[in-house]
Amino acid sequence: KRARMIPEPKANSSPLVWVIAVPSPLHRLFEYLPPDGEAFNPACGARVRISFSGRDVIGVFLESRLSRLPNPSTLKRVTSVIDVAASLLLHEQSALLQWLSDYYLIPPGEAYLLGLSNTERKGNLQWEPPLDHVVLREGGDPLATIPKRARRQRDAIALIGNNSVSIADLSEQGISTSVIRSLLSLSLVEKVPSPPISRHAKRASPDLTEEQKRVSIELISKLNHFRAHLLEGITGSGKTEVYLECIKAVIANNQQVLVIVPEIGLTPQTKARFEDALGCEVPLIHSGITESDRGRSWALARSGLAPVILGTRSAVFCSFRSLGLIVVDEEHDPSLKQQDHPRYSARDVAIKRAQLCNCPIILGSATPSLESIANCDAGKYQHHILSERPQGTSLPSISLVDTRGLALASGLSDQAITEITRALSRDEQALLFINRRGFAHSLQCEDCGWVAGCHQCDSSLSVHRNPPHLSCHHCQTKRSTPRQCEECQSIRLSGRGVGTEQLELLMHRLFSDMPVFRIDSDSIKNVDALTSTLDSISAAGSAVLLGTQMLSKGHNFPKVTCVVVVDADNLLFSPDFRAEERLLQLLVQVAGRAGRATLPGKVLIQTRCPDHPLIQEVANNAYSEQARRLLARREELSLPPKGAMGVIRCDASAETNAIDFLDSLKKQLPSTSHARLLGPMPTLMTRRAGMYRYQIIIHGPTRREVHVVMKKAIEMGSQQKLARKVSWFVEIDPTETL
Ligand code: ADP
Ligand code: ZN
Ligand code: ZN
């Protein structure tokens, strides 16, 4: 878009002002006068420097208009325009960020900044791709211009030919930079950035199964317009190959693809697999890489040089020259929802984005969210199914182990130990899933029942052995392990509930010559550590893998043939309305780690509730039937995906402040028959990190009614007497109501 001339202001009319999105927690835009002597409006989305509350900050120009203030000439002036030629925020991206602000009730200034990389937010110039390749200039015969004795120059011209060749490659072949310099000064060659497709695909795609072919053809036939597609394929059914087929078709059409995965930990494997299959670099966008690498990825996306970008949540805001497809893998995963400010669901934002770009979006999962299933049933999404694994491997057989009355060794039944032993003796791997890290869940007095609790939270402290200490998994408080009960001074204290450390110890004892890989947030501190552990696992022969959720997500473990879910019950009874959906997804995903190559697998689920319908259904391998049963229950109870939900949360160090704030706020909110307000009520863990946490839950038939209440809450909330003594926020579509 080109800059436009501002019309001459009419005499006596109020001056034109610029509307700026300013990063601040205030839910409004701000008016500034244009900079002195500025005759042009920048393009919408251009960065400007302004002074705000006495600080120099970067804002985003949105439009110019007649001021809405009575006395606009007293407004401050914009200091300067950073993006004079073109704006960084492209049109469709600005529309997305405006929608984000309206839908998630995020202050507009904060929403607009999400569309810029960190370096751009600081006002730095745009990253330019290095000109590290050379091509021949058009026209003429360069060899005719170069004298015969300039042998190196002639060699260089021959090597370059019709291609774009990297200067580094030329120097490896004996063409020094001084030779290149002389060719440049003769205007025979010119420098260009590296072309997007710089390598050859290392891996040909496998012969697709009939199902994969059918689904790919169907998807590829619908690439030219917006449509949400749910790709429901059992674990190991080859969803990634289907994504790749579609991605190749989009690239061939000179368009770009955005791929979103829920965890940073999934990016290295996916990146490697995509680069091998596509033959191009796939830049990453996530918080685990340096700011300058991220800036580079943003620039590659914006310039169109990168055909595919892979990232986690925040990548959904990246700008693309020409976006042709979005893929959201593991679309059911709660990590796609940002749980701190700014709160948004990357999956839902991605769907909106696809709609604004008029391109398709593929949501993939073995265990789709109930929302997405409901959208398929309502005809809003198109449903595609992959029901079998290629290479003919069957899904693992699942059996339940009723642990009532059994003597367990560090949480494991004899039957589980036997199966693990068998797998190891066949040179295969065993995977143990347990959702607690540490040695034991809590420390209890055997004489009076006292449990060591956290002073900051309504929670017990977990026991850790290495080094020995007690730790709270909710607020990270650490304490030394007491020798005596604080109530009765007994020294008979013992750990309750098995954690990963204890299981690791048992595995070392039972299988002393076997490698044991523990994967939890204590043992794996970053992506590099995870990647190198995953590499060691795939290089190892027989081995034991044990860990928490980290182990359950998306990774491929072809040698695992035995999976043990150590304790399904501690997930079973939670008052959150999504708890059953989560547990079902988790169990199916963990079970799906087994038997992914050509080896058949076996899954044992240890439980004291073998008759629970949910556990029964998992054993019968029927995710979709079970999901539909849960969906019908939500429908009956009018819980999402039926209707809409919002929450107003308030945290305070004095409990009465949290309650009083919400009480007085609630009195000012419209309570119609359309939107029901429940609360104030305590969250499940009422006290956490020293704060009391209360909430009001809003139910409505559609989002519109819930939005009306929430907008009012934002308006009235900051006017409450207690507003400065509490911290509070609103959230639409909360994923946890605890
Ligand atoms: P998903 O993403 O559905 O869990 P993947 O795409 O990771 O499944 O595929 C699982 C495994 O099967 C991978 O090792 C993949 O290379 C392999 N695979 C996928 N499709 C085929 C095929 N058509 N023929 C042979 N192997 C395949
Ligand atoms: Zn005691
Ligand atoms: Zn705590």
Side-chain angles (χ1 to χ4, degrees), residues 21 57 117 173 192 203 316 352 396 456 464 469 537 540 553 558 581 630 667 680 725:
V57 299
S117 73
Q173 308 200 35
V192 293
R203 187 178 65 91
V316 76
K352 185 66 195 181
Q456 302 273 334
H464 290 249
H469 67 280
I537 290 171
K553 292 190 176 182
E581 177 185 355
L630 293 178
K667 291 202 185 82
K725 295 201 169 149

Side-chain angles (χ1 to χ4, degrees), residues 205-224 229-232 237-250 325 327 360 362 382-387 390:
S205 53
D207 290 333
L208 298 185
T209 63
E210 285 307 312
E211 268 187 335
Q212 283 172 318
K213 261 188 227 155
R214 189 163 37 74
V215 172
S216 306
I217 290 170
E218 173 68 13
L219 286 169
I220 290 171
S221 76
K222 301 201 162 153
L223 287 180
N224 53 1
H229 300 273
L230 177 66
L231 176 55
E232 177 173 5
S237 59
K239 292 184 287 297
T240 312
E241 296 301 333
V242 173
Y243 302 152
L244 285 167
E245 288 301 303
C246 299
I247 292 171
K248 284 180 199 164
V250 175
L325 170 68
V327 175
I362 305 175
Q382 190 175 343
H383 203 168
H384 309 261
I385 294 175
L386 295 178
S387 60

Side-chain angles (χ1 to χ4, degrees), residues 464-530:
H464 290 249
R465 279 275 177 94
N466 207 356
H469 67 280
L470 298 183
S471 144
C472 173
H473 291 177
H474 303 287
C475 71
Q476 320 315 326
T477 294
K478 289 188 171 36
R479 274 172 59 189
S480 59
T481 314
R483 295 182 182 280
Q484 288 187 322
C485 169
E486 288 180 9
E487 293 287 329
C488 75
Q489 276 68 50
S490 160
I491 54 161
R492 302 204 315 137
L493 300 182
S494 61
R496 293 288 144 116
V498 177
T500 47
E501 282 182 28
Q502 191 173 152
L503 215 47
E504 182 182 25
L505 200 67
L506 176 75
M507 289 299 111
H508 278 306
R509 256 189 224 138
L510 291 177
F511 311 107
S512 52
D513 49 346
M514 283 293 154
V516 176
F517 298 96
R518 171 157 71 96
I519 299 192
D520 60 29
S521 57
D522 294 319
S523 59
I524 306 282
K525 297 282 188 204
N526 54 44
V527 206
D528 290 343
L530 179 63

Side-chain angles (χ1 to χ4, degrees), residues 571-634:
L571 302 158
L572 207 49
F573 302 102
S574 159
D576 187 273
F577 77 90
R578 281 183 224 268
E580 290 201 317
E581 177 185 355
R582 289 282 144 74
L583 173 60
L584 183 67
Q585 288 164 344
L586 180 68
L587 291 178
V588 173
Q589 292 284 349
V590 175
R593 302 302 120 204
R596 282 165 72 91
T598 45
L599 306 163
K602 202 162 201 174
V603 179
L604 296 184
I605 298 179
Q606 300 195 139
T607 174
R608 270 162 276 123
C609 314
D611 301 324
H612 194 289
L614 202 128
I615 301 272
Q616 283 284 326
E617 286 284 344
V618 176
N620 296 333
N621 259 334
Y623 178 79
S624 48
E625 278 114 84
Q626 179 73 349
R628 289 214 154 64
R629 190 183 68 89
L630 293 178
L631 204 50
R633 258 248 299 294
R634 296 258 189 100

Side-chain angles (χ1 to χ4, degrees), residues 331-378:
E331 66 89 30
H332 65 281
D333 197 305
S335 302
L336 289 168
K337 174 85 195 239
Q338 170 119 332
Q339 297 291 3
D340 330 308
H341 183 80
R343 294 180 167 75
Y344 63 89
S345 153
R347 177 195 62 205
D348 297 351
V349 176
I351 293 167
K352 185 66 195 181
R353 178 150 205 188
Q355 192 188 15
L356 289 169
C357 294
N358 195 26
C359 76
I361 176 167
I362 305 175
L363 310 175
S365 176
T367 53
S369 61
L370 298 189
E371 277 83 1
S372 294
I373 293 176
N375 279 324
C376 286
D377 291 351

Side-chain angles (χ1 to χ4, degrees), residues 264-278:
I264 295 179
L266 290 168
T267 56
Q269 278 188 335
T270 313
K271 177 180 162 77
R273 193 162 164 195
F274 277 33
E275 289 185 341
D276 285 355
L278 299 172

